[in-house]
Amino acid sequence: MAEILPVKGFRYNPRLPFSIDALTSPLFDVVSLKQRQALYRNSYNSIHLSVPPGPDPSESARRTAEHWKRAGILLQDPLPGIYVYYQYFRLPGSDREYCRKGFLCHIKAYAWEEQVILRHENTIPAAVNDRIELLEQTQMHTSATHGLYTDDNHILERFMDESITSPIYESEDYQGVRDVLSVIHDAQVIQRFVDHVKDQKIILADGHHRYEGSLAYRQKMLAQHPAATGDEPFNYHLMYLTNAAADDLRILPTHRLLEKLPLAPDVFLAKLQEFFTVTPIDEAYDLNEVITGKKWAFGIYLRGEAYKVRLKPEVHDQLAWPLPSEVKALDLTVMHYFLLERVLGISAEEQRQYPGLSYVRSFAECLSKVDAGQATVALITNEVKMEEVQRVCLSGAVMPQKSTFFYPKVICGYLFSSIQEDEFY
């Protein structure tokens, strides 16, 4: 089902007077303003392609990409390959070093209804539009999305393990993760990867906005070229594929911050009790612990006060959104329906673009922003489990936007791919 191809990648000229560490950057949806400002100071940093500055970002990225190619700042590898990408990381409170093993390739940008690439969460329209413009102007994939294939017997792993012993790059990124890249050029081995994935459905773990940007651009080009065969470069997308059967997949929670409450705080707390059991918590930093593992439980931080809220079980049947049971059972569906829609009056459609609603991974940042007056309320949630993601994907439905934070994030700057006809493959 899933058609993948090797990549004839663009990479930084090794003669540049910078280490690869100085050229990499975070993904567009996680890079902070402070990080951007620091990274922009290096005129060769990959952020100039992935999150371009200026009043016309896409045009800026187009000029940058053209200049970097002409000036030899980016060089195209002479042979197509499967790029092996390993990420070594640790989690707080654990001595274990994890290694997420995967590979970068081109994959056809299948429409959602084809059920080859399976999404699990909604997107925010403005962010998709930005990605379409960037791809259309640069004709380059500047950062890979993250997809999950299945390899219960870890057949592909031995080829990747062998390749990674001869790395192209090895660096430590902004997350404290050790990233290692290598490449496989052997045509027979590459075919093993192609054949293994071709009968599978791929779960899109991270990068829904970038994938939808590729999909929208493909649909636009197909409309302009009715005689297209389906093999044209615009049909393909850059993806990092990792094994859903491995034990190195980690999903961290993504909390919600509301800049302003549409209700007075006392009215908000009173209305919560219609649907939730509300329990004051003495120490705000205990919120993570008191909700961990508890179904339909959330933390609320408001005016310096912390509360544990848990949906009253008998209320769940009131969840009126037309969703399959797999989605209705999710903590975040409960939060978005009962707390945001029923209590605060923000409809499902409004939530996708609601001004002042932001998504933050760091628990400590949520508390500090409320304390600093940069947000009125923090909504603290549990992590989503991989089994939940798989159940939702197979149901054909989607989770609320920003439901998952697969960790660690792929970094930008190791590899770029082109969809120009003379540079593709």
Short mmCIF file of all heavy atoms in Angstrom, two decimals, residues 324-370:
data_model
loop_
_atom_site.label_atom_id
_atom_site.label_comp_id
_atom_site.label_asym_id
_atom_site.label_seq_id
_atom_site.Cartn_x
_atom_site.Cartn_y
_atom_site.Cartn_z
N PRO A 324 -16.54 7.93 17.14
CA PRO A 324 -16.53 6.53 17.58
C PRO A 324 -16.12 6.42 19.04
O PRO A 324 -15.51 7.34 19.61
CB PRO A 324 -15.50 5.88 16.65
CG PRO A 324 -14.64 6.98 16.16
CD PRO A 324 -15.50 8.20 16.12
N SER A 325 -16.44 5.31 19.63
CA SER A 325 -16.19 5.12 21.07
C SER A 325 -14.71 5.24 21.40
O SER A 325 -14.36 5.69 22.50
CB SER A 325 -16.72 3.76 21.51
OG SER A 325 -16.11 2.71 20.77
N GLU A 326 -13.83 4.85 20.46
CA GLU A 326 -12.38 4.92 20.71
C GLU A 326 -11.94 6.35 20.97
O GLU A 326 -11.03 6.61 21.77
CB GLU A 326 -11.59 4.38 19.50
CG GLU A 326 -11.78 2.90 19.24
CD GLU A 326 -12.94 2.61 18.33
OE1 GLU A 326 -13.78 3.50 18.11
OE2 GLU A 326 -13.01 1.46 17.84
N VAL A 327 -12.58 7.31 20.31
CA VAL A 327 -12.22 8.72 20.47
C VAL A 327 -12.93 9.34 21.67
O VAL A 327 -12.37 10.13 22.41
CB VAL A 327 -12.52 9.52 19.19
CG1 VAL A 327 -12.04 10.96 19.32
CG2 VAL A 327 -11.84 8.87 17.99
N LYS A 328 -14.19 8.94 21.87
CA LYS A 328 -14.93 9.47 23.01
C LYS A 328 -14.27 9.10 24.34
O LYS A 328 -14.40 9.81 25.34
CB LYS A 328 -16.37 8.96 22.99
CG LYS A 328 -17.25 9.64 21.97
CD LYS A 328 -18.71 9.19 22.11
CE LYS A 328 -19.62 9.97 21.18
NZ LYS A 328 -21.04 9.58 21.33
N ALA A 329 -13.56 7.98 24.36
CA ALA A 329 -12.95 7.51 25.60
C ALA A 329 -11.69 8.27 25.98
O ALA A 329 -11.21 8.16 27.11
CB ALA A 329 -12.63 6.03 25.48
N LEU A 330 -11.14 9.05 25.06
CA LEU A 330 -9.87 9.72 25.32
C LEU A 330 -10.00 10.86 26.33
O LEU A 330 -10.98 11.61 26.33
CB LEU A 330 -9.32 10.30 24.01
CG LEU A 330 -8.94 9.31 22.91
CD1 LEU A 330 -8.61 10.06 21.63
CD2 LEU A 330 -7.77 8.45 23.36
N ASP A 331 -8.97 11.02 27.14
CA ASP A 331 -8.94 12.13 28.10
C ASP A 331 -9.11 13.47 27.39
O ASP A 331 -9.86 14.34 27.84
CB ASP A 331 -7.60 12.14 28.85
CG ASP A 331 -7.50 11.06 29.90
OD1 ASP A 331 -8.51 10.37 30.15
OD2 ASP A 331 -6.41 10.88 30.46
N LEU A 332 -8.38 13.66 26.28
CA LEU A 332 -8.40 14.97 25.63
C LEU A 332 -9.74 15.26 24.97
O LEU A 332 -10.15 16.42 24.88
CB LEU A 332 -7.26 15.07 24.61
CG LEU A 332 -5.90 15.37 25.22
CD1 LEU A 332 -4.80 15.27 24.18
CD2 LEU A 332 -5.87 16.75 25.86
N THR A 333 -10.44 14.23 24.50
CA THR A 333 -11.78 14.46 23.98
C THR A 333 -12.69 14.95 25.09
O THR A 333 -13.48 15.89 24.91
CB THR A 333 -12.36 13.17 23.37
OG1 THR A 333 -11.46 12.68 22.38
CG2 THR A 333 -13.72 13.43 22.73
N VAL A 334 -12.56 14.33 26.26
CA VAL A 334 -13.34 14.75 27.42
C VAL A 334 -13.02 16.20 27.78
O VAL A 334 -13.91 17.02 28.03
CB VAL A 334 -13.07 13.81 28.62
CG1 VAL A 334 -13.58 14.41 29.92
CG2 VAL A 334 -13.71 12.45 28.36
N MET A 335 -11.72 16.55 27.78
CA MET A 335 -11.34 17.93 28.11
C MET A 335 -11.92 18.91 27.09
O MET A 335 -12.51 19.94 27.46
CB MET A 335 -9.81 18.08 28.14
CG MET A 335 -9.37 19.53 28.33
SD MET A 335 -7.59 19.80 28.10
CE MET A 335 -6.96 19.20 29.65
N HIS A 336 -11.76 18.60 25.81
CA HIS A 336 -12.20 19.54 24.78
C HIS A 336 -13.73 19.66 24.72
O HIS A 336 -14.24 20.74 24.41
CB HIS A 336 -11.63 19.14 23.42
CG HIS A 336 -10.22 19.59 23.21
ND1 HIS A 336 -9.89 20.62 22.36
CD2 HIS A 336 -9.05 19.19 23.77
CE1 HIS A 336 -8.58 20.82 22.39
NE2 HIS A 336 -8.05 19.96 23.24
N TYR A 337 -14.42 18.58 25.02
CA TYR A 337 -15.88 18.65 24.97
C TYR A 337 -16.47 19.27 26.24
O TYR A 337 -17.18 20.28 26.19
CB TYR A 337 -16.51 17.27 24.75
CG TYR A 337 -18.02 17.32 24.73
CD1 TYR A 337 -18.70 17.80 23.61
CD2 TYR A 337 -18.77 16.95 25.85
CE1 TYR A 337 -20.09 17.88 23.60
CE2 TYR A 337 -20.16 17.03 25.85
CZ TYR A 337 -20.81 17.50 24.72
OH TYR A 337 -22.19 17.60 24.72
N PHE A 338 -16.18 18.67 27.38
CA PHE A 338 -16.84 19.11 28.61
C PHE A 338 -16.26 20.42 29.16
O PHE A 338 -17.01 21.28 29.61
CB PHE A 338 -16.76 18.02 29.68
CG PHE A 338 -17.67 16.86 29.41
CD1 PHE A 338 -17.17 15.67 28.92
CD2 PHE A 338 -19.04 16.96 29.61
CE1 PHE A 338 -18.00 14.59 28.65
CE2 PHE A 338 -19.89 15.89 29.35
CZ PHE A 338 -19.37 14.70 28.87
N LEU A 339 -14.93 20.57 29.09
CA LEU A 339 -14.34 21.76 29.68
C LEU A 339 -14.36 22.95 28.71
O LEU A 339 -14.83 24.04 29.06
CB LEU A 339 -12.90 21.44 30.12
CG LEU A 339 -12.33 22.33 31.23
CD1 LEU A 339 -11.22 21.61 31.98
CD2 LEU A 339 -11.78 23.63 30.68
N LEU A 340 -13.88 22.73 27.48
CA LEU A 340 -13.81 23.86 26.56
C LEU A 340 -15.17 24.20 25.94
O LEU A 340 -15.52 25.38 25.84
CB LEU A 340 -12.79 23.56 25.45
CG LEU A 340 -11.33 23.46 25.92
CD1 LEU A 340 -10.41 23.13 24.74
CD2 LEU A 340 -10.87 24.75 26.57
N GLU A 341 -15.93 23.17 25.53
CA GLU A 341 -17.22 23.48 24.88
C GLU A 341 -18.33 23.70 25.89
O GLU A 341 -19.01 24.74 25.86
CB GLU A 341 -17.62 22.37 23.91
CG GLU A 341 -18.98 22.65 23.23
CD GLU A 341 -19.22 21.79 22.01
OE1 GLU A 341 -18.50 21.98 21.01
OE2 GLU A 341 -20.14 20.95 22.05
N ARG A 342 -18.55 22.76 26.79
CA ARG A 342 -19.71 22.86 27.69
C ARG A 342 -19.52 23.92 28.78
O ARG A 342 -20.45 24.66 29.10
CB ARG A 342 -20.02 21.49 28.31
CG ARG A 342 -20.44 20.42 27.31
CD ARG A 342 -21.79 20.74 26.66
NE ARG A 342 -22.89 20.80 27.61
CZ ARG A 342 -23.57 19.74 28.03
NH1 ARG A 342 -23.28 18.52 27.57
NH2 ARG A 342 -24.57 19.89 28.88
N VAL A 343 -18.34 23.96 29.37
CA VAL A 343 -18.12 24.92 30.46
C VAL A 343 -17.79 26.31 29.92
O VAL A 343 -18.38 27.32 30.34
CB VAL A 343 -17.01 24.43 31.41
CG1 VAL A 343 -16.69 25.50 32.45
CG2 VAL A 343 -17.43 23.14 32.10
N LEU A 344 -16.86 26.38 28.97
CA LEU A 344 -16.39 27.69 28.49
C LEU A 344 -17.13 28.18 27.24
O LEU A 344 -16.95 29.32 26.82
CB LEU A 344 -14.88 27.62 28.20
CG LEU A 344 -13.99 27.39 29.42
CD1 LEU A 344 -12.53 27.31 29.01
CD2 LEU A 344 -14.19 28.49 30.46
N GLY A 345 -17.92 27.31 26.61
CA GLY A 345 -18.71 27.75 25.47
C GLY A 345 -17.93 27.91 24.18
O GLY A 345 -18.36 28.62 23.27
N ILE A 346 -16.78 27.23 24.07
CA ILE A 346 -15.97 27.30 22.85
C ILE A 346 -16.26 26.05 22.03
O ILE A 346 -15.92 24.94 22.43
CB ILE A 346 -14.46 27.37 23.20
CG1 ILE A 346 -14.18 28.51 24.18
CG2 ILE A 346 -13.63 27.53 21.93
CD1 ILE A 346 -12.76 28.48 24.75
N SER A 347 -16.89 26.21 20.88
CA SER A 347 -17.32 25.07 20.08
C SER A 347 -16.12 24.32 19.51
O SER A 347 -15.00 24.84 19.47
CB SER A 347 -18.21 25.52 18.93
OG SER A 347 -17.44 26.23 17.96
N ALA A 348 -16.38 23.11 19.03
CA ALA A 348 -15.30 22.28 18.47
C ALA A 348 -14.60 22.99 17.32
O ALA A 348 -13.37 22.96 17.20
CB ALA A 348 -15.86 20.94 18.01
N GLU A 349 -15.37 23.63 16.44
CA GLU A 349 -14.77 24.32 15.31
C GLU A 349 -13.97 25.53 15.77
O GLU A 349 -12.87 25.80 15.27
CB GLU A 349 -15.86 24.76 14.32
CG GLU A 349 -15.34 25.30 13.01
CD GLU A 349 -14.42 24.33 12.28
OE1 GLU A 349 -14.68 23.11 12.31
OE2 GLU A 349 -13.41 24.79 11.68
N GLU A 350 -14.49 26.28 16.72
CA GLU A 350 -13.77 27.45 17.24
C GLU A 350 -12.46 27.05 17.91
O GLU A 350 -11.47 27.79 17.85
CB GLU A 350 -14.64 28.19 18.26
CG GLU A 350 -15.82 28.94 17.67
CD GLU A 350 -16.69 29.56 18.75
OE1 GLU A 350 -17.06 28.85 19.71
OE2 GLU A 350 -16.99 30.76 18.64
N GLN A 351 -12.43 25.88 18.53
CA GLN A 351 -11.23 25.45 19.24
C GLN A 351 -10.02 25.32 18.32
O GLN A 351 -8.89 25.55 18.74
CB GLN A 351 -11.49 24.11 19.94
CG GLN A 351 -12.43 24.20 21.12
CD GLN A 351 -12.83 22.84 21.65
OE1 GLN A 351 -12.09 21.86 21.52
NE2 GLN A 351 -14.01 22.75 22.26
N ARG A 352 -10.25 24.98 17.06
CA ARG A 352 -9.13 24.79 16.13
C ARG A 352 -8.37 26.07 15.87
O ARG A 352 -7.20 26.03 15.50
CB ARG A 352 -9.64 24.19 14.81
CG ARG A 352 -10.20 22.78 14.94
CD ARG A 352 -10.56 22.22 13.59
NE ARG A 352 -9.39 21.99 12.76
CZ ARG A 352 -9.44 21.76 11.45
NH1 ARG A 352 -10.60 21.75 10.84
NH2 ARG A 352 -8.33 21.56 10.77
N GLN A 353 -9.04 27.22 16.00
CA GLN A 353 -8.38 28.50 15.71
C GLN A 353 -8.64 29.53 16.82
O GLN A 353 -8.58 30.72 16.58
CB GLN A 353 -8.87 29.06 14.37
CG GLN A 353 -8.69 28.12 13.20
CD GLN A 353 -9.16 28.74 11.89
OE1 GLN A 353 -8.52 29.60 11.31
NE2 GLN A 353 -10.31 28.28 11.42
N TYR A 354 -8.93 29.06 18.03
CA TYR A 354 -9.34 29.96 19.09
C TYR A 354 -8.18 30.85 19.52
O TYR A 354 -7.10 30.36 19.88
CB TYR A 354 -9.84 29.16 20.29
CG TYR A 354 -10.54 30.01 21.33
CD1 TYR A 354 -11.82 30.50 21.09
CD2 TYR A 354 -9.92 30.33 22.52
CE1 TYR A 354 -12.48 31.29 22.04
CE2 TYR A 354 -10.56 31.11 23.48
CZ TYR A 354 -11.83 31.58 23.23
OH TYR A 354 -12.47 32.36 24.16
N PRO A 355 -8.36 32.18 19.47
CA PRO A 355 -7.26 33.08 19.86
C PRO A 355 -6.92 32.95 21.34
O PRO A 355 -7.81 32.91 22.19
CB PRO A 355 -7.82 34.47 19.54
CG PRO A 355 -9.32 34.31 19.54
CD PRO A 355 -9.58 32.91 19.07
N GLY A 356 -5.65 32.84 21.63
CA GLY A 356 -5.23 32.74 23.02
C GLY A 356 -5.18 31.34 23.57
O GLY A 356 -4.82 31.14 24.74
N LEU A 357 -5.56 30.33 22.75
CA LEU A 357 -5.42 28.93 23.17
C LEU A 357 -4.11 28.40 22.61
O LEU A 357 -3.91 28.38 21.40
CB LEU A 357 -6.59 28.09 22.65
CG LEU A 357 -6.52 26.58 22.91
CD1 LEU A 357 -6.49 26.26 24.39
CD2 LEU A 357 -7.70 25.86 22.23
N SER A 358 -3.20 28.02 23.49
CA SER A 358 -1.89 27.54 23.03
C SER A 358 -1.61 26.17 23.64
O SER A 358 -2.28 25.73 24.59
CB SER A 358 -0.78 28.54 23.39
OG SER A 358 -0.74 28.79 24.79
N TYR A 359 -0.59 25.52 23.09
CA TYR A 359 -0.27 24.14 23.43
C TYR A 359 1.18 24.08 23.90
O TYR A 359 2.09 24.47 23.16
CB TYR A 359 -0.49 23.24 22.21
CG TYR A 359 -1.89 23.39 21.65
CD1 TYR A 359 -2.18 24.37 20.70
CD2 TYR A 359 -2.93 22.58 22.10
CE1 TYR A 359 -3.47 24.52 20.21
CE2 TYR A 359 -4.21 22.73 21.62
CZ TYR A 359 -4.48 23.71 20.67
OH TYR A 359 -5.76 23.87 20.19
N VAL A 360 1.38 23.61 25.11
CA VAL A 360 2.69 23.68 25.74
C VAL A 360 3.05 22.32 26.31
O VAL A 360 2.25 21.70 27.03
CB VAL A 360 2.70 24.75 26.87
CG1 VAL A 360 4.06 24.79 27.57
CG2 VAL A 360 2.35 26.12 26.31
N ARG A 361 4.26 21.84 26.00
CA ARG A 361 4.69 20.54 26.52
C ARG A 361 5.19 20.62 27.96
O ARG A 361 4.97 19.73 28.76
CB ARG A 361 5.80 19.96 25.64
CG ARG A 361 6.23 18.57 26.06
CD ARG A 361 7.31 18.03 25.17
NE ARG A 361 8.54 18.77 25.24
CZ ARG A 361 9.46 18.58 26.18
NH1 ARG A 361 9.27 17.69 27.14
NH2 ARG A 361 10.57 19.28 26.18
N SER A 362 5.83 21.72 28.29
CA SER A 362 6.47 21.84 29.60
C SER A 362 5.45 22.17 30.70
O SER A 362 4.80 23.22 30.66
CB SER A 362 7.55 22.92 29.55
OG SER A 362 8.00 23.23 30.86
N PHE A 363 5.35 21.28 31.67
CA PHE A 363 4.47 21.51 32.82
C PHE A 363 4.91 22.76 33.59
O PHE A 363 4.09 23.61 33.94
CB PHE A 363 4.51 20.27 33.71
CG PHE A 363 3.83 20.41 35.05
CD1 PHE A 363 2.47 20.58 35.13
CD2 PHE A 363 4.57 20.36 36.22
CE1 PHE A 363 1.84 20.71 36.35
CE2 PHE A 363 3.95 20.48 37.45
CZ PHE A 363 2.58 20.66 37.52
N ALA A 364 6.22 22.88 33.82
CA ALA A 364 6.72 24.03 34.58
C ALA A 364 6.44 25.34 33.85
O ALA A 364 6.12 26.36 34.47
CB ALA A 364 8.22 23.88 34.82
N GLU A 365 6.55 25.33 32.52
CA GLU A 365 6.28 26.54 31.74
C GLU A 365 4.82 26.96 31.88
O GLU A 365 4.50 28.15 31.94
CB GLU A 365 6.61 26.29 30.27
CG GLU A 365 6.41 27.50 29.37
CD GLU A 365 6.69 27.22 27.90
OE1 GLU A 365 7.32 26.18 27.60
OE2 GLU A 365 6.29 28.04 27.06
N CYS A 366 3.92 25.97 31.93
CA CYS A 366 2.50 26.29 32.11
C CYS A 366 2.27 27.06 33.42
O CYS A 366 1.59 28.10 33.43
CB CYS A 366 1.67 25.00 32.14
SG CYS A 366 1.47 24.21 30.54
N LEU A 367 2.85 26.56 34.49
CA LEU A 367 2.66 27.22 35.79
C LEU A 367 3.30 28.60 35.79
O LEU A 367 2.71 29.57 36.29
CB LEU A 367 3.26 26.37 36.91
CG LEU A 367 2.71 24.94 37.08
CD1 LEU A 367 3.19 24.35 38.40
CD2 LEU A 367 1.20 24.89 37.00
N SER A 368 4.48 28.71 35.24
CA SER A 368 5.19 30.00 35.27
C SER A 368 4.48 31.06 34.43
O SER A 368 4.46 32.24 34.79
CB SER A 368 6.65 29.84 34.82
OG SER A 368 6.71 29.44 33.46
N LYS A 369 3.87 30.65 33.32
CA LYS A 369 3.17 31.62 32.48
C LYS A 369 1.90 32.13 33.17
O LYS A 369 1.55 33.30 33.02
CB LYS A 369 2.84 31.01 31.11
CG LYS A 369 4.06 30.93 30.21
CD LYS A 369 3.70 30.70 28.76
CE LYS A 369 4.94 30.88 27.88
NZ LYS A 369 4.65 30.73 26.45
N VAL A 370 1.22 31.27 33.91
CA VAL A 370 0.06 31.74 34.67
C VAL A 370 0.53 32.68 35.78
O VAL A 370 -0.05 33.75 36.00
CB VAL A 370 -0.73 30.55 35.25
CG1 VAL A 370 -1.82 31.04 36.20
CG2 VAL A 370 -1.35 29.72 34.12
#
